Amino acid sequence: MPTKLNGRSGDHADDVDEHFGDDSNPEPFWRQVKPKDGLPLWEAMLFYGNQFDAEMAWSRRLDGFDGPPFYPFDEMSREEQREYNAGSMQFERARRQLESEIHGKLLRGELVATGYAADTPLDSPPTKILPDRWRLLEPDYRESTAKGGRLEISGILVFSGDRDIPKTLGAKRHSLAELRRWYSSWISSNRESGNAPSRDDDLEAARERFGEGVSRSTLRSLRKELAPDEWKLHGRRRER
């Protein structure tokens, strides 16, 4: 079965119902969701984006303009070719605008996302993605995944603010070996982006990843052992 927002299914009746909507609910289909439960990237893009482009992206995707035509383009009539080209361009323009909007909101912290890093154990809870990480991440809105800065994140859900994020995020178990592996990855991603985080930045990021149980002394020991020399300089760091 399709999700509410994929626009197509093997049963034509399903598509007809989705196209005409539910007369008892005045909200458009892409807003008939529960945002407090977290929304995958594509659904969040429609829900939190400007509604003119959301309507355009929804309707053009429902009409099949989000991919290649159903039969060869050169076998279409000129009228069909014009219709396909116009619908595809409208979908792409709306999609790009919506993607830009939600990426900006995630980067500014207006929206908050959680996900599963590729190197985490299967029993780990989702992790909050720090807003600044979105400078490095390239999202796949349809799959609700992201890659960048040696990170791979799947199962992304978007929330309207910290108060809506499940409380289980704070209850993460970890070993010193896991913390050490994470800190090595933290060093690599920051050096790649030209950042030189402070000890407080280290601690905040570690607690976002593993919970409040991470001690300041443990992070300081790891920083002393593993961090590059330029991170250990005293005084104010030069802006890059």
Side-chain angles (χ1 to χ4, degrees):
M1 288 293 290
T3 66
K4 276 188 176 181
L5 299 176
N6 71 1
R8 286 186 250 174
S9 75
D11 186 343
H12 180 64
D14 290 337
D15 293 339
V16 171
D17 289 341
E18 288 192 352
H19 183 75
F20 289 104
D22 180 358
D23 289 340
S24 66
N25 190 338
E27 289 278 13
F29 258 93
W30 60 90
R31 293 192 65 84
Q32 293 181 31
V33 292
K34 296 179 180 179
K36 288 187 177 180
D37 294 339
L39 300 177
L41 283 171
W42 175 263
E43 296 188 18
M45 182 180 80
L46 296 177
F47 187 90
Y48 293 111
N50 79 81
Q51 293 303 284
F52 176 83
D53 286 322
E55 163 69 24
M56 182 66 71
W58 164 264
S59 62
R60 294 301 177 264
R61 186 178 185 187
L62 197 65
D63 290 337
F65 292 118
D66 61 329
F70 294 114
Y71 56 95
F73 186 80
D74 57 5
E75 294 180 12
M76 294 179 176
S77 67
R78 290 198 175 186
E79 182 179 352
E80 289 173 328
Q81 290 176 348
R82 285 194 296 268
E83 180 184 8
Y84 174 78
N85 285 334
S88 297
M89 287 189 291
Q90 289 169 343
F91 173 79
E92 285 301 313
R93 189 209 64 80
R95 178 188 62 79
R96 287 195 298 269
Q97 180 64 29
L98 290 166
E99 289 181 0
S100 177
E101 283 186 36
I102 192 173
H103 187 267
K105 289 180 178 181
L106 289 166
L107 187 59
R108 294 189 297 271
E110 295 172 20
L111 296 174
V112 181
T114 66
Y116 299 91
D119 60 348
T120 55
L122 291 176
D123 61 349
S124 295
T127 301
K128 178 182 173 183
I129 303 170
L130 296 176
D132 188 61
R133 276 287 179 267
W134 291 101
R135 292 191 303 104
L136 304 175
L137 293 172
E138 182 177 343
D140 183 325
Y141 290 86
R142 307 235 184 168
E143 298 297 326
S144 208
T145 61
K147 294 181 180 181
R150 299 185 182 179
L151 293 175
E152 293 187 20
I153 303 172
S154 61
I156 294 174
L157 292 178
V158 178
F159 300 83
S160 62
D162 286 350
R163 65 181 179 276
D164 290 335
I165 294 180
K167 293 181 180 180
T168 54
L169 284 175
K172 304 181 183 73
R173 295 174 296 172
H174 68 276
S175 66
L176 182 58
E178 288 175 319
L179 186 60
R180 185 184 182 90
R181 285 194 297 271
W182 170 84
Y183 192 68
S184 295
S185 176
W186 166 253
I187 291 172
S188 298
S189 61
N190 277 282
R191 295 191 77 177
E192 188 173 301
S193 61
N195 293 332
S198 66
R199 290 183 300 183
D200 288 341
D201 294 332
D202 286 356
L203 184 63
E204 180 182 358
R207 286 178 173 176
E208 289 287 355
R209 171 65 181 82
F210 294 103
E212 296 298 319
V214 177
S215 71
R216 186 179 296 273
S217 60
T218 299
L219 257 293
R220 285 184 175 178
S221 296
L222 288 174
R223 184 182 179 93
K224 182 176 180 180
E225 177 186 356
L226 301 174
D229 290 340
E230 61 266 25
W231 289 20
K232 303 172 187 177
L233 297 175
H234 296 288
R236 181 174 178 148
R237 290 187 178 83
R238 184 177 57 191
E239 295 292 332
R240 298 191 178 189

